[in-house]
């Protein structure tokens, strides 16, 4: 009773699929559906009646198979966790202008490595360097910048360029591990430099660094404690003290800032996070930071510093291996231009961090009202919560925010949050004390409606 693949492709309801998606994928889907039916017959699961029924619906089965075959794995989600830079959710959402730029630059040819004025070969690193120079023009000394794949690559490249074959001194309180198995000692060993630990976990003094300096010392490395704090009986020399020590011995001091804010976080009530400007002003020879953390742009690792040191980095063959493509330059340029024109709210991550709690509360109340009307089995309350910046920035700092706290009749908070992840687009929430929390700081306002629809659906399904 099974039709052939050819017969299926001529089926009245399958023909439009062939026209729309092309013959090869529909053929493949039809073959899979037939294979499945054949297997079910062999397993004795389909008698003649059941097979007849299955064949009556075969076009729908092929269409389902086709949809499954052609789905994306990387899909948008709604981030209701309140973590602005969530590494598992793709860190910084990109500025609209950056995507428009990307469309123009990346769908055709560009002057990525071409000097339009001379008609000669150019360098790809000048595109971002030009804008970083402007951003840092208030510094006493000019700086250069190069861009690589991510900050882990930037640190590896820097240690390899300036430290290979010698020793790099780091405080024991800064031998950090960032999520995704980036560990300073491991990166150090891959760079070919030898780690020279000084001080203790909680206290390191300038004298500890000084005693460790010898003829093999190439670098003093400072690493930002991105995702933890050491509190209590602690001591750490200031970056300027380290720079003075380095100068006295002719050894550069470099800082892995991790997040590397380009704007003053005091504006949004976060203190204790140094900006890239701060670090360079204190005399760091090179600073490394991510493009998709506080900067709010594409995944990238950025090295900014003294032109001579950056020139050495650029000359390292590893730089070629870690370089970024036109997509990254396009998005990075557009993001940096928003900083230069001080249109911070055009950068979604920065805008979210700057949202006022009162505005978030007003949105939460409005959404809660609609939920009460349209999702009667869901109990909702607006509660004060703390959003976190995330992405290895300001570990102890939180931003006051408001969330919907939800429970649904008949299902646990865990089940409820699972159902929220099964809607489209999936909604990622936090569960706390038996309730599902949706922090609206990280939800785009145009997504409030999607959340409402999802809750209404879950409410009616639970009845
Ligand atoms: C995040 C971070 C890194 C790694 O940066 P990626 O861009 O994720 O590769 C390295 N060092 C520090 C201190 C960080 O915070």
């Amino acid at each position: 009773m099974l039709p052939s693949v050819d017969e299926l492709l001529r089926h009245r309801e399958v023909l439009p699929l062939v026209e729309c998606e092309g013959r090869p994928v529909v053929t493949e889907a039809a073959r899979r559906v037939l294979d499945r039916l054949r297997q079910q017959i062999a397993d004795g699961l389909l008698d003649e009646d059941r097979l007849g029924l299955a064949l009556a619906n075969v076009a729908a089965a092929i269409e389902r198979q086709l949809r499954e075959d052609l789905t994306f794995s990387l899909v948008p989600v709604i981030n209701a966790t309140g973590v602005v830079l969530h590494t598992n959710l793709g860190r910084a959402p990109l500025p609209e202008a950056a995507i428009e730029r990307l469309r123009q630059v990346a769908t055709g040819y560009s002057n990525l490595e071409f000097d339009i004025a001379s008609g000669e070969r150019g360098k790809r690193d000048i595109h971002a360097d030009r804008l970083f120079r402007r951003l840092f023009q208030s510094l006493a000394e000019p700086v250069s910048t190069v861009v690589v794949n991510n900050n882990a690559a930037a640190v590896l490249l820097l240690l390899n360029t300036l430290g290979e074959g010698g020793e790099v001194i780091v405080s024991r309180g800064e031998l950090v591990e960032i999520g995704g198995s980036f560990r300073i000692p491991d990166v150090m060993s891959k760079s070919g430099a030898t780690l020279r630990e000084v001080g203790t976990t909680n206290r390191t003094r300038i004298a500890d660094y000084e005693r460790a300096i010898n003829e093999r010392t190439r670098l003093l490395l400072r690493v930002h404690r991105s995702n933890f704090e050491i509190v209590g009986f602690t001591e750490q020399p200031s970056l300027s003290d380290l720079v003075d020590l380095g100068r006295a011995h002719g050894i550069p001091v470099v800082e892995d800032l991790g997040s590397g804010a380009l704007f003053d976080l005091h504006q949004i009530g976060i203190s204790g996070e140094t900006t890239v400007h701060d670090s360079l002003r204190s005399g760091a020879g090179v600073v490394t930071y991510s493009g998709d953390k506080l900067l709010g742009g594409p995944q990238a690792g950025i090295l900014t510093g003294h032109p001579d040191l950056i020139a050495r980095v650029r000359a390292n063959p590893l730089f070629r291996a870690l370089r970024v493509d036109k997509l990254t330059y396009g998005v990075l340029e557009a993001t940096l231009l928003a900083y230069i024109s001080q249109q911070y709210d055009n950068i979604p991550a920065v805008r979210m961090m700057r949202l006022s709690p009162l505005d978030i509360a007003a949105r939460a109340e409005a959404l809660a009202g609609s939920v009460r009307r349209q999702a009667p089995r869901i109990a909702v309350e607006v509660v004060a919560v703390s959003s976190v910046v995330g992405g290895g920035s300001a570990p102890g700092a939180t931003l006051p925010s408001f969330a919907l706290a939800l429970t649904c009749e008949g299902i646990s908070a865990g089940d409820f949050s699972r159902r929220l992840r099964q809607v489209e687009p999936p909604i990622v929430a936090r569960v706390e004390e038996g309730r599902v929390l949706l922090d609206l700081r990280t939800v785009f306002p145009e997504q409030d409606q999607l959340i409402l629809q999802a809750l209404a659906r879950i409410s009616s399904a639970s009845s």
Side-chain angles (χ1 to χ4, degrees):
M1 287 172 70
L2 286 181
S4 71
V5 172
D6 276 342
E7 280 172 294
L8 278 181
L9 293 180
R10 285 194 303 270
H11 189 292
R12 188 173 41 85
E13 290 167 50
V14 177
L15 269 178
L17 296 177
V18 175
E19 258 160 47
C20 187
E21 307 288 355
R23 203 173 176 84
V25 280
V26 182
T27 307
E28 169 75 17
R31 202 167 273 144
R32 283 194 203 221
V33 169
L34 283 177
D35 284 350
R36 205 156 48 226
L37 289 175
R38 210 170 276 125
Q39 187 62 45
Q40 285 170 350
I41 295 166
D43 292 347
L45 296 172
L46 289 181
D47 57 18
E48 199 170 327
D49 285 351
R50 287 212 180 129
L51 180 57
L53 199 62
L55 289 177
N57 294 311
V58 74
I62 292 173
E63 181 160 10
R64 266 198 310 276
Q65 181 67 49
L66 198 56
R67 298 283 157 253
E68 208 175 285
D69 292 350
L70 296 178
T71 54
F72 286 92
S73 165
L74 181 63
V75 296
V77 305
I78 293 177
N79 174 11
T81 64
V83 180
V84 180
L85 300 165
H86 199 305
T87 298
N88 304 145
L89 303 183
R91 287 197 189 152
L94 297 176
E96 286 291 341
I99 298 309
E100 178 47 30
R101 196 65 210 147
L102 196 54
R103 211 186 53 72
Q104 292 168 11
V105 170
T107 53
Y109 298 104
S110 65
N111 64 334
L112 181 64
E113 288 187 359
F114 182 73
D115 184 320
I116 293 173
S118 69
E120 311 266 313
R121 182 176 179 184
K123 280 210 178 104
R124 66 176 61 204
D125 30 305
I126 59 155
H127 301 295
D129 184 46
R130 179 185 70 106
L131 296 179
F132 279 110
R133 271 176 209 275
R134 282 192 57 190
L135 279 171
F136 297 124
Q137 68 192 3
S138 63
L139 297 171
E141 317 247 342
V143 290
S144 300
T145 298
V146 288
V147 181
V148 291
N149 212 3
N150 51 33
N151 189 38
V155 175
L156 173 71
L157 178 61
L158 183 64
L159 293 176
N160 177 262
T161 307
L162 304 181
E164 191 180 23
E167 289 180 3
V168 177
I169 303 181
V170 189
S171 159
R172 288 200 170 89
E174 297 172 11
L175 295 176
V176 309
E177 169 173 331
I178 312 293
S181 62
F182 172 91
R183 294 175 142 195
I184 288 291
D186 297 346
V187 175
M188 187 79 75
S189 88
K190 282 291 175 197
S191 77
T194 304
L195 171 65
R196 185 69 197 266
E197 303 173 22
V198 295
T200 61
T201 306
N202 56 332
R203 286 170 75 97
T204 305
R205 302 184 188 82
I206 196 75
D208 296 321
Y209 287 90
E210 191 153 26
R211 262 198 308 277
I213 291 177
N214 61 46
E215 68 292 342
R216 290 174 30 83
T217 307
R218 298 285 163 76
L219 218 49
L220 305 182
L221 172 66
R222 159 68 58 100
V223 185
H224 182 57
R225 292 173 189 151
S226 297
N227 49 4
F228 68 103
E229 282 179 323
I230 297 181
V231 295
F233 187 53
T234 62
E235 183 175 343
Q236 187 185 32
S238 71
L239 182 60
S240 319
D241 291 343
L242 272 186
V243 168
D244 289 343
L245 178 67
R247 286 220 174 102
H249 291 84
I251 299 168
V253 176
V254 298
E255 179 161 45
D256 174 20
L257 265 185
S259 215
L262 290 183
F263 70 101
D264 187 358
L265 291 172
H266 287 104
Q267 284 181 31
I268 54 166
I270 291 177
S271 54
E273 187 79 358
T274 38
T275 63
V276 181
H277 285 84
D278 293 336
S279 181
L280 291 168
R281 211 175 280 124
S282 302
V286 179
V287 182
T288 63
Y289 48 105
S290 293
D292 54 354
K293 289 185 180 173
L294 281 173
L295 196 150
Q299 177 187 305
I302 302 162
L303 299 101
T304 298
H306 193 283
D308 294 347
L309 296 176
I310 295 296
R312 285 173 62 191
V313 169
R314 189 186 267 122
N316 185 335
L318 255 189
F319 175 55
R320 170 64 182 78
L322 300 172
R323 79 179 186 190
V324 294
D325 69 343
K326 60 189 176 212
L327 306 184
T328 302
Y329 282 115
V331 175
L332 191 56
E333 258 201 302
T335 311
L336 295 175
L337 279 168
Y339 278 102
I340 286 174
S341 54
Q342 298 186 14
Q343 289 178 329
Y344 301 121
D345 284 344
N346 289 350
I347 305 166
V350 178
R351 181 176 67 229
M352 284 173 181
M353 287 184 269
R354 284 155 50 97
L355 284 179
S356 97
L358 286 181
D359 289 347
I360 300 173
R363 257 176 71 204
E365 287 296 354
L367 184 54
S370 308
V371 171
R372 285 182 196 111
R373 283 189 298 277
Q374 296 183 34
R377 290 178 172 271
I378 292 177
V380 55
E381 204 188 329
V382 173
V383 296
V385 294
S386 297
S387 314
V388 294
V389 174
S393 328
T398 57
L399 303 165
S401 183
F402 286 89
L404 301 192
L406 307 160
T407 52
C408 182
E409 268 174 45
I411 57 175
S412 70
D415 280 339
F416 192 3
S417 74
R418 195 166 315 117
R419 286 192 199 181
L420 284 168
R421 292 198 307 275
Q422 286 162 352
V423 299
E424 212 179 289
I427 300 167
V428 185
R430 243 164 43 202
V431 172
E432 251 170 48
E433 294 170 0
R435 296 198 291 189
V436 166
L437 294 186
L438 304 177
D439 183 342
L440 294 190
R441 180 181 291 279
T442 49
V443 174
F444 290 84
E446 59 272 25
Q447 295 173 332
D448 290 358
Q449 205 54 35
L450 295 171
I451 290 183
L452 177 61
Q453 286 163 12
L455 292 175
R457 222 170 311 131
I458 292 172
S459 169
S460 56
S462 79
S463 62

